[in-house]
Amino acid sequence: QAQLVESGGGSVQTGGSLKLSCQASRDFSGSCMAWFRQPLGKEREGVAMIDRRGTTKFADSVKGRFTISRDNAKRTLYLQMNNLRPEDTAMYYCAADGRSRMCDLTLAPALAVVGQGTQVTVSS
């Protein structure tokens, strides 16, 4: 069973930065990978996605503030989050899926392999 393990979450003040990492237990270089989040009591939403060619997609709410990248040699997915806002507070999950039809940001919470999540809290 392939695993994804997130790290890097924490508590920051408004305007601060965090970099999340997602370590994969196997090669996901041919897969679409994504970050999605779930604020407490709310629905899950796709945040950022990167396909096997490196093409990226972002939710409108994070464009210009978040960057997604992958290092296939290290089997690691990253999410650099800058200029954080209180509304970014959520549990953040990384996910992966080898099916090209799943490479749609709106489908991020439904990808086949999902990590356990890391909490991000932004205080005002």
Side-chain angles (χ1 to χ4, degrees), residues 8-20 37 47 61-62 64-67 79-90 92 119-124:
S11 296
V12 296
Q13 292 189 325
T14 297
S17 297
L18 284 173
K19 186 173 185 177
L20 306 184
R37 65 189 180 187
V47 174
S61 59
V62 306
R65 300 188 298 122
F66 290 13
T67 302
L79 184 69
Q80 176 67 48
M81 306 184 294
N82 298 326
N83 192 19
L84 283 160
R85 304 167 180 169
E87 53 265 37
D88 295 316
T89 295
Y92 283 72
Q119 178 67 36
V120 171
T121 302
V122 185
S123 58
S124 58

Side-chain angles (χ1 to χ4, degrees), residues 2 5 8 19 26-27 29 33 35 41-42 45 61 63-64 68-69 76 80 86 88 92 98 113-114 120 124:
V5 180
K19 186 173 185 177
R26 67 167 179 82
D27 181 12
S29 60
M33 299 191 76
W35 291 93
K42 297 185 179 181
E45 61 171 347
S61 59
K63 279 180 182 177
I68 187 171
S69 60
T76 304
Q80 176 67 48
D88 295 316
Y92 283 72
V113 184
V114 181
V120 171
S124 58

